[in-house]
Amino acid sequence: MIASNPFAELAAFIPPAAMQTYVVLMVVLVVVGTVLDMLHKKSARYFFENARAAKKNATRTLSAGEKGALALKTVAKEVLTSGEFNNPKRRISHLFTMYGFIIFVVTTAILIFAYPTPDYPAPTVVPLLWHLGAAMLCLGGYWFWFSIRVDVASEGVKWYRLNGRGDLFIVGLLGMASFALLWSFSMGAGALNRLFFVLFVAFSTLLFGSVYWSKFAHMFFKPAAAFQKRVIKADGSRENMPAIYDVADPEVQARFPDIPAYMGANPPNMGLGIKREAPNHF
């Protein structure tokens, strides 16, 4: 069952051209929603203005090689391994969800465009990956919903409580992946199978059609922001923050008389702060 292409079976009722048109429409909705989200929140404008302001305060100019190395580090940590999460559970859940989504979306496009009918049987590995991607989405998404999301140390939201627009993204993901699997596993079950397919399409449309209101667009902006953060550290601009002073310098101590008390080697009245507990949050 998991080695068969469910979309090929669907071709008996829905023309492949209609399925392909739907996929293209979803891509258009993502692009339009992302652009509208950036215009509404002015995130792109803020990003470029902040980059220009930081460049003026830079103490050194980065070479193309240095920027390339920073880009590779960003891809390796923030993109491929989600290294920005200190909570291991949150990180693993995010990785399952992210890679499950990528595998599911890519294999869906392959099955619909390259092998739309039984006359063009798909290689066994493609539908296997399609089911695997959906299963990974469910694992990561439901882990977040029923374990991490309800954790008081992180969000502390009841599992049955919807957070309006804030939950559109995860609800769309979980609904799409869950009903995709149910639709595939119930193939040949008549009305029940058709119901699962309708719900699969409905949640897919919700996910890709609600980009303007959901957290979907952050997937495109987050890597760019992470890269810029590395650049401002490397070029000395420090994101327009004050310079780092040498607290042992007598001139600095004369300028800031409270340094010996609060910024010395063993400052009094200063506890562990956030290091008092393990990183259980995001």
Side-chain angles (χ1 to χ4, degrees):
M1 180 181 295
I2 62 174
S4 61
N5 179 6
F7 297 101
E9 303 293 333
L10 187 65
F13 308 97
I14 300 178
M19 291 187 283
Q20 294 166 0
T21 300
Y22 174 81
V23 172
V24 172
L25 178 60
M26 293 302 103
V27 173
V28 172
L29 287 178
V30 170
V31 173
V32 173
T34 301
V35 172
L36 291 177
D37 179 76
M38 293 173 64
L39 292 175
H40 173 68
K41 296 177 180 177
K42 299 181 180 180
S43 53
R45 177 181 175 184
Y46 168 80
F47 177 80
F48 288 113
E49 288 182 351
N50 190 57
R52 284 195 295 268
K55 188 175 182 179
K56 294 179 180 178
N57 296 328
T59 58
R60 58 187 297 265
T61 301
L62 300 181
S63 65
E66 289 177 307
K67 290 184 177 180
L70 293 176
L72 290 176
K73 290 181 180 180
T74 302
V75 172
K77 183 177 181 180
E78 281 82 7
V79 178
L80 295 180
T81 61
S82 301
E84 72 274 15
F85 293 110
N86 287 323
N87 184 343
K89 295 180 180 179
R90 181 68 182 91
R91 185 178 184 181
I92 295 173
S93 168
H94 184 271
L95 288 173
F96 269 109
T97 305
M98 179 181 70
Y99 283 110
F101 177 77
I102 294 173
I103 294 172
F104 180 79
V105 170
V106 171
T107 52
T108 296
I110 293 174
L111 292 174
I112 290 178
F113 284 91
Y115 310 101
T117 67
D119 298 331
Y120 302 94
T124 304
V125 67
V126 182
L128 283 175
L129 286 174
W130 185 83
H131 288 88
L132 175 63
M136 290 173 63
L137 255 176
C138 289
L139 176 59
Y142 284 116
W143 187 359
F144 167 76
W145 189 271
F146 289 106
S147 178
I148 299 173
R149 186 174 182 267
V150 299
D151 184 5
V152 176
S154 53
E155 294 189 13
V157 180
K158 300 295 184 182
W159 68 268
Y160 53 81
R161 183 177 177 181
L162 293 176
N163 188 24
R165 295 180 179 178
D167 286 334
L168 280 176
F169 183 52
I170 185 65
V171 169
L173 277 176
L174 289 176
M176 179 183 69
S178 300
F179 288 111
L181 290 175
L182 291 172
W183 166 57
S184 177
F185 293 155
S186 64
M187 199 66 65
L192 182 63
N193 178 256
R194 289 192 291 272
L195 173 62
F196 288 149
F197 173 71
V198 170
L199 291 173
F200 166 45
V201 174
F203 277 98
S204 299
T205 306
L206 172 67
L207 173 65
F208 298 113
S210 63
V211 172
Y212 177 70
W213 301 278
S214 74
K215 298 178 181 179
F216 195 109
H218 89 286
M219 295 192 302
F220 307 103
F221 182 74
K222 189 175 75 168
F227 171 71
Q228 180 61 21
K229 185 177 181 180
R230 289 181 179 275
V231 169
I232 61 177
K233 286 184 178 181
D235 65 11
S237 58
R238 292 183 46 76
E239 202 170 11
N240 306 316
M241 297 295 290
I244 298 178
Y245 294 103
D246 181 5
V247 296
D249 188 346
E251 294 184 3
V252 174
Q253 293 183 4
R255 183 178 178 183
F256 305 102
D258 57 347
I259 281 180
Y262 295 101
M263 298 182 64
N266 298 298
N269 307 318
M270 303 290 284
L272 295 175
I274 62 173
K275 295 183 179 180
R276 193 180 300 274
E277 60 176 321
N280 294 321
H281 308 282
F282 295 111

